Amino acid sequence: MSDKKYRINWEKDWNSQACMWQQAYGHTPPIRHLKKVHSSRKAATMILLAAETGQLDRIETTGILKKLDGMVFRDKSRFHGYIRWYMEEDLPSDPNSTFFAGLPLIITWKKHGSMLSEEQREITSGIFRDMYVWFKRESMERTWFYPNKSLGELTCAWMIWEICREIYPGMEGEKGELLKLMEEAAFYWTENMWGWGEHMSDGYCKVCLTELSVLLLLGKSLPGKTKDSFRKLFDRLLEVEDMYEGGPRVPALRTYAFSSCPANENYRDTIKPLPDEIDISKVDFVSGHTFYDLGWHQFAPPRKPAAVEARIECFNKAFAVARIEKDIRAGSVSRFPLMPSMDRINAGLSWQSMPVAVSRPGKTWMYLQWETEEEGRIRSHPATDVKEACFNYGLSGSINPPVTGRTYSIQEGNGILVLRIMPSIPALCARITDRLRVIGDPGEMEEPSHEGPWHQLLMRWEDREISVHSIPLPFFDRTSMDLPVLKTCGNFCELISPETAKMAPVSMKLKRNGKCLDWDGDNSGVQLRNRRIVATLWAFCLDGRIGSPPMLNISMPTPPLIPRMYEENGWEITWKWPGKNWNLLIDPLGSEPLKETGPARDA
């Protein structure tokens, strides 16, 4: 800490009666209705900020620590050591709250422990002792697939062990088991590419980098081999940050940019000194200044140049691809969800992920979105806002596990082809929409007319023209209605009537929805009746208009034949683009639903 004088209004939002700072919104269900809440995360972060600015004597440090101490569960139950996120809660509501309150206190002790009074150290070490029980037990659950959570718990468990082993008898003996867990986790993240994909999140990648920075810069007892493993993970995350220099990640897994154009700053650039004047309402967790005077920039690997074509490995052979230019960036993930079991009614990633996204930095943000209507309730993936999503994360409230749309992408150069499948249709579902959502300035727009169920939307962005295409499947035409053709493709006890076929094609509708512009493909009524799936082929071309339609032919799937509804048939697709010919095979029931039958060729 320097002798610099910082201007901070500690009275802002301070509630002397509660001895904590108040805020207008709480995210957990039990207290979401309240207009004022008091957060353990905020209180712990303010103690760290006061220590880093030499102003612990200007806040009620002892009183705040006592308040935090009283929010810790000490009932010897499954939740022993958990700290409530909000003072107003009665029961545990967010398993991450202990980390967000614990890490600032750990850093305060490690960096500025000498500034705490004996009473304050006694209170804090008591909090640590019980938090350690929580962090170790959570680490033993081995939820490595959830990296920011499990890495945070391991980091806190190790740091508390370093702090408390000299205070509490018996703590020294915990070292071996902790190291075993840490080595197991580091191996998992290295071999399985960060589990469910938080390295592809602008926000949660930075949380992971903060956790690693604490572990590597403040941890003093890590064995060399273990430290090397975590150092390699740290270096790899910074490499991904460097790839996306100057703008948001595309695709975006775990994002809250539902209704605004996201901005992103390289984590490196957040490591800087504190400003002279600090608005505490804008400080809610550990910030980059914490590591600046620890020599973070000297410790970190050199910055790498931003990518033009990025390919980033993900879980189980999936991968993200991005095209990054000065005026545009577009990206997709080859398979989403990355894990088949990652979505549940009360948790998951589909509600906060955009497996296909396009950005005109600072001006336009667009992504594909599912929406369902069930008994008058509207649900969407990704969500429209955080508050609404927290009531129900799934696309249906009538089935568990919830319905989750699937996305498969092939991206090459300035083109992306995307197959979207809703693999089941709940009986109570009245509508399923697969849409393009455009946030911000859409530019000059045009919908050229085409024959057949092929739809094109043009957007002109200054010197660039973007075209987006939607081909709802099944692709009905006269030849594909021929019953013998259907039977040879494996259909079982199914007839397609001319009347049904005429009504089945999906039309696209361009409409304004508040701050968003939506291009909707609605499936409802006869389009859902007796169907097992909804499927659409989307295409994005960053080089302008596509003049020729895709050529689709019903395909004989690879043997053996299996029962198929008509919409589950395979399709062979050839499509001529400027400078490129695509050759694709779609099989909604196949292990690889979208694949190239040959490399995309120059036309």
Side-chain angles (χ1 to χ4, degrees):
M1 186 195 72
S2 70
D3 294 328
K4 184 177 179 179
K5 301 298 182 182
Y6 297 93
R7 298 188 298 278
I8 306 173
N9 178 13
W10 294 106
E11 297 298 318
K12 186 175 184 179
D13 298 324
W14 173 254
N15 183 334
S16 57
Q17 186 176 0
C19 201
M20 295 179 75
W21 287 268
Q22 64 187 21
Q23 58 193 66
Y25 166 71
H27 73 287
T28 61
I31 52 83
R32 194 180 293 121
H33 64 286
L34 298 177
K35 294 182 179 179
K36 297 292 182 183
V37 292
H38 302 82
S39 159
S40 59
R41 167 178 172 163
K42 181 73 173 186
T45 301
M46 291 299 97
I47 289 175
L48 173 59
L49 179 62
E52 293 193 315
T53 56
Q55 299 187 23
L56 279 173
D57 59 344
R58 291 191 56 198
I59 66 172
E60 299 290 337
T61 304
T62 302
I64 298 167
L65 286 171
K66 286 181 178 179
K67 182 65 69 171
L68 292 174
D69 185 66
M71 294 171 69
V72 177
F73 278 68
R74 293 186 171 95
D75 56 359
K76 307 297 182 184
S77 73
R78 163 73 176 79
F79 299 103
H80 188 96
Y82 172 92
I83 186 169
R84 288 175 287 165
W85 195 300
Y86 301 101
M87 182 182 72
E88 291 75 12
E89 294 170 335
D90 293 322
L91 298 172
S93 300
D94 187 324
N96 296 311
S97 64
T98 311
F99 163 74
F100 281 108
L103 193 67
L105 294 180
I106 289 168
I107 297 171
T108 300
W109 185 291
K110 277 284 191 174
K111 285 187 69 180
H112 312 289
S114 62
M115 299 172 61
L116 298 173
S117 70
E118 282 301 314
E119 183 182 12
Q120 292 164 0
R121 290 173 66 88
E122 184 177 352
I123 298 168
T124 307
S125 63
I127 293 173
F128 288 158
R129 178 180 57 194
D130 292 293
M131 279 185 170
Y132 177 81
V133 176
W134 170 266
F135 287 129
K136 182 184 176 185
R137 182 176 56 244
E138 289 295 293
S139 296
M140 291 179 69
E141 294 287 338
R142 292 173 166 82
T143 56
W144 313 139
F145 55 85
Y146 188 171
N148 96 81
K149 178 181 184 292
S150 51
L151 174 57
E153 289 158 351
L154 275 176
T155 297
C156 288
W158 180 260
M159 301 303 291
I160 289 176
W161 175 82
E162 287 194 355
I163 292 168
C164 290
R165 62 176 174 160
E166 298 177 358
I167 302 174
Y168 300 109
M171 287 288 286
E172 183 66 36
E174 296 282 313
K175 180 178 181 179
E177 193 170 8
L178 274 183
L179 281 175
K180 183 178 179 181
L181 287 168
M182 295 181 77
E183 290 163 1
E184 180 183 322
F187 179 82
Y188 177 94
W189 294 320
T190 301
E191 294 298 312
N192 294 286
M193 308 303 168
W194 291 102
W196 65 18
E198 289 178 345
H199 60 315
M200 294 307 303
S201 168
D202 286 341
Y204 288 102
C205 179
K206 290 176 174 59
V207 174
C208 290
L209 281 166
T210 292
E211 294 160 347
L212 289 166
S213 296
V214 170
L215 187 65
L216 294 169
L217 293 175
L218 289 172
K220 303 303 181 184
S221 304
L222 273 180
K225 181 181 178 182
T226 306
K227 190 169 186 176
D228 288 345
S229 296
F230 282 91
R231 173 62 194 255
K232 290 176 182 177
L233 292 167
F234 174 82
D235 290 355
R236 178 55 181 152
L237 287 184
L238 280 176
E239 185 178 338
V240 177
E241 286 281 294
D242 292 343
M243 287 181 181
Y244 286 96
E245 180 76 32
R249 280 169 173 74
V250 286
L253 308 187
R254 297 210 72 191
T255 178
Y256 303 107
F258 305 135
S259 58
S260 61
C261 298
N264 182 44
E265 185 178 19
N266 191 319
Y267 187 79
R268 297 175 184 274
D269 299 324
T270 69
I271 311 299
K272 55 190 176 184
L274 283 167
D276 294 341
E277 187 168 353
I278 301 168
D279 181 353
I280 63 171
S281 66
K282 298 179 180 179
V283 181
D284 71 342
F285 193 51
V286 178
S287 301
H289 63 266
T290 295
F291 309 115
Y292 181 79
D293 60 356
L294 293 174
W296 189 96
H297 285 290
Q298 292 72 36
F299 175 79
R303 188 189 299 253
K304 293 189 176 181
V308 176
E309 296 278 356
R311 178 185 167 109
I312 301 166
E313 300 301 316
C314 298
F315 180 79
N316 196 20
K317 299 181 180 180
F319 53 89
V321 177
R323 176 76 179 182
I324 303 170
E325 301 184 32
K326 288 184 178 180
D327 65 324
I328 193 171
R329 50 184 61 201
S332 61
V333 64
S334 61
R335 179 191 73 246
F336 190 84
L338 294 176
M339 298 177 174
S341 56
M342 62 191 270
D343 285 291
R344 304 178 185 182
I345 283 180
N346 60 355
L349 264 67
S350 290
W351 73 274
Q352 54 182 329
S353 292
M354 301 166 185
V356 178
V358 180
S359 169
R360 180 166 58 148
K363 296 182 178 180
T364 313
W365 176 244
M366 60 184 182
Y367 53 87
L368 297 177
Q369 181 184 54
W370 293 105
E371 184 176 271
T372 62
E373 181 177 351
E374 183 179 274
E375 297 186 311
R377 177 81 179 272
I378 307 297
R379 299 177 173 90
S380 58
H381 281 172
T384 54
D385 63 58
V386 174
K387 293 181 182 180
E388 181 63 27
C390 286
F391 285 105
N392 191 312
Y393 295 105
L395 285 177
S396 170
S398 63
I399 185 171
N400 189 20
V403 174
T404 302
R406 300 173 184 168
T407 300
Y408 305 91
S409 303
I410 297 173
Q411 180 167 347
E412 183 175 323
N414 280 341
I416 312 174
L417 292 172
V418 184
L419 176 65
R420 304 259 286 174
I421 300 173
M422 187 61 67
S424 62
I425 302 172
L428 296 178
C429 188
R431 174 178 57 84
I432 295 176
T433 297
D434 193 12
R435 69 159 58 99
L436 174 74
R437 170 153 287 187
V438 183
I439 309 295
D441 178 12
E444 183 182 344
M445 306 188 76
E446 177 188 350
E447 275 190 281
S449 59
H450 299 290
E451 291 187 7
W454 168 48
H455 310 276
Q456 182 169 194
L457 179 67
L458 296 174
M459 287 176 277
R460 295 179 182 89
W461 295 352
E462 297 170 356
D463 295 330
R464 184 183 292 272
E465 186 175 59
I466 312 297
S467 61
V468 185
H469 310 261
S470 172
I471 302 99
L473 300 174
F475 186 88
F476 284 92
D477 59 25
R478 292 182 179 180
T479 57
S480 65
M481 285 171 54
D482 182 52
L483 187 58
V485 173
L486 299 182
K487 280 192 171 182
T488 61
C489 292
N491 285 268
F492 180 67
C493 297
E494 181 194 7
L495 297 176
I496 301 292
S497 71
E499 180 181 355
T500 301
K502 288 177 183 177
M503 298 180 67
V506 174
S507 61
M508 301 297 293
K509 299 176 183 178
L510 187 64
K511 60 183 183 182
R512 174 65 64 176
N513 187 352
K515 297 180 180 180
C516 310
L517 189 69
D518 291 338
W519 196 39
D520 287 1
D522 289 336
N523 296 268
S524 60
V526 70
Q527 292 147 338
L528 291 183
R529 191 181 307 157
N530 299 322
R531 290 181 66 171
R532 284 160 51 94
I533 70 169
V534 167
T536 303
L537 178 67
W538 292 84
F540 296 78
C541 179
L542 308 187
D543 290 331
R545 162 189 321 250
I546 304 298
S548 57
M551 305 304 296
L552 288 86
N553 293 295
I554 203 162
S555 168
M556 177 71 72
T558 304
L561 292 177
I562 59 175
R564 291 173 183 262
M565 297 290 280
Y566 181 71
E567 66 271 14
E568 296 171 323
N569 279 319
W571 299 91
E572 293 177 353
I573 301 174
T574 58
W575 200 352
K576 186 176 181 180
W577 287 22
K580 189 184 298 293
N581 289 335
W582 290 100
N583 298 280
L584 305 168
L585 182 64
I586 289 176
D587 182 0
L589 302 185
S591 58
E592 191 177 0
L594 176 67
K595 63 181 179 181
E596 290 186 84
T597 54
R601 304 190 310 273
D602 292 340

